[in-house]
Amino acid sequence: MRYVKTISEVTGSGCTMSQIANDRLTDPVGVVKLCAELIAFDTTNFGEGRSNGEREITGYIAQLLRNAGYAPEIVGPTPERASVVARIAGSDPSLPALLVHAHTDVVPVEVDDWSVPPFAGLIRDGYVWGRGAADMKDMVAMTIATAQDWASRAIRPRRDIVLAFVADEEDRGDLGADWLVRERPELLAGVSTAIGESGGNAIRAIDAAGTVRRLYAVATAERATMHMRLTSTGTSGHGSRPTADNAVRQLLDATQRIAQHRWPVHLSSTVRAFLEQASHALGYEAELDSDEGVERTVERLGDAGAVARYTIRASATPTVLRAGGKVNVIPGKAEALLDVRCPPGYEDELEDVIDKLLADDATRDFVSLGRSVESAPDSEWFRAMERAILDQDPDGIVVPFCMGGGTDAKAFSSLGIACYGFAPLGLDSEGREVHGVHGVDERVPIESLVSGQRMLASFLQRV
Ligand SMILES: [Zn+2]
């Protein structure tokens, strides 16, 4: 029953809503309180199918939506691993629908390292604190608060908007977004476009004149996730009698060649657009004709360039080795796992390169395969997100970017839905920033959350 906590209970340190108001912001739609409440549900996903589950939070979200007059449906493979979907009817049924998706599960905490209780939903020092504050109960709260606000003011969007608050993103999405796409695609009928995790939050950038600017990167692409297992086999036997086909030696050779391979730059249209537009807006030169030029362009952008550092090329990172069990026994088999990420459009070439590097030393198969995502970085949808951000921050710079990792967009894009990462957060006027995503003392600035909700509402109402 964590969700029945009142604001005075969740604020812990005695901070009250009037003090929050003193932070030079108003929160008329209650997004801050709601974010804190959602954090108080411990929805930890430990991975490999182990999880505290999303049943309670899903029930709470469904109740909030029902109270606002919507008709949510709780769906999922089991009651414990539930998601909730609701469709807000638009005024123009001829327009394709828009999906807004956000996951309700969170990654585990190392509680001893935290300076606050991670599931208390503390509101303190200008932040909402707790696991999920910025990944991504903030977006869940912004979306629900917007729907509640519309209901209270009898506002209808132009097009149908489907809200999906899904389980299991922090593992493989098998029981959340993938399940939804596989088992209940009719809930997404008529959806042409989606917005979801990662993108649209303010990043500090320094322009060529030394001025601090605000860069809002909206995700229009994601690298493919191609998790691979390498397997080497050889003759097993006594360690005192070396063999020519030692599985461990072969696996190490193959893994070493892949780990040391220098992947060429492969610019997707999104990364190219990011480098061109960010460089132009910040007054830097963009050199995109050679690998070295691209690397220099990324470096010149400083912190803003970090957004592109891992997405200009593929990466193949060895993460797990498994072989042998006894020092005097040569094992017949050795395995390695590689975390391979691939820019959109480079997948086939990447597989060819990996096969050449493996030579005869190892074979490969996929442990998991998540397609790359790429939506048009210059679409009307992108422009609408840009306008929504600039409404709140006229001096901001809005650019497309490619995510280095993956989100539930991979599942939704398999239905032909154009996916964007847009979970906007404005800048905090006193320099507070999002902190601790997947780490310690996760927190989101209150001011960023409030202005982010305004950006989201402005976008949803406009489209
Ligand atoms: Zn997340």
Side-chain angles (χ1 to χ4, degrees), residues 8-54:
S8 59
E9 285 170 314
V10 296
T11 51
S13 66
C15 170
T16 64
M17 284 308 282
S18 66
Q19 277 170 288
I20 296 165
N22 288 342
D23 268 311
R24 282 171 295 99
L25 57 91
T26 55
D27 180 17
V29 298
V31 66
V32 173
K33 173 178 177 288
L34 182 54
C35 183
E37 285 178 352
L38 294 171
I39 290 166
F41 292 89
D42 178 353
T43 51
T44 300
N45 189 335
F46 299 96
E48 297 178 349
R50 289 195 313 119
S51 165
N52 287 346
E54 297 85 358

Side-chain angles (χ1 to χ4, degrees), residues 224-261:
T225 302
M226 305 169 81
H227 289 163
M228 284 183 201
R229 172 172 38 222
L230 308 186
T231 306
S232 296
T233 54
T235 310
S236 57
H238 199 287
S240 67
R241 297 173 203 134
T243 53
D245 63 347
N246 182 313
V248 175
R249 196 267 308 150
Q250 293 179 90
L251 182 80
L252 290 177
D253 285 352
T255 307
Q256 169 87 335
R257 285 194 296 271
I258 293 171
Q260 293 196 329
H261 181 67

Side-chain angles (χ1 to χ4, degrees), residues 103 105-107 134-136 169-170 197-198 406-407 437-438:
H103 65 82
D105 60 329
V106 297
V107 295
D135 181 14
M136 59 178 313
E169 193 275 344
E170 298 291 4
E197 182 156 22
S198 284
T407 71
V437 170
H438 288 217

Side-chain angles (χ1 to χ4, degrees), residues 383-450:
R383 295 295 155 220
M385 291 175 231
E386 180 179 51
R387 282 197 300 276
I389 291 170
L390 296 181
D391 276 354
Q392 298 297 318
D393 185 354
D395 297 326
I397 301 165
V398 184
V399 291
F401 87 109
C402 175
M403 289 193 52
T407 71
D408 282 336
K410 292 194 185 327
F412 295 117
S413 73
S414 72
L415 292 177
I417 296 172
C419 291
Y420 293 90
F422 183 64
L425 290 173
L427 205 71
D428 181 276
S429 56
E430 290 175 4
R432 295 180 191 89
E433 293 185 347
V434 163
H435 184 92
V437 170
H438 288 217
V440 172
D441 286 348
E442 183 173 348
R443 54 194 187 266
V444 64
I446 290 171
E447 199 176 332
S448 301
L449 190 56
V450 170

Side-chain angles (χ1 to χ4, degrees), residues 167-204:
D168 201 34
E169 193 275 344
E170 298 291 4
D171 194 0
R172 287 165 55 182
D174 241 13
L175 309 173
D178 278 336
W179 185 92
L180 194 60
V181 161
R182 216 170 44 235
E183 305 293 334
R184 298 296 305 275
E186 79 280 5
L187 292 172
L188 306 171
V191 171
S192 71
T193 306
I195 61 167
E197 182 156 22
S198 284
N201 52 329
I203 305 165
R204 265 162 221 278

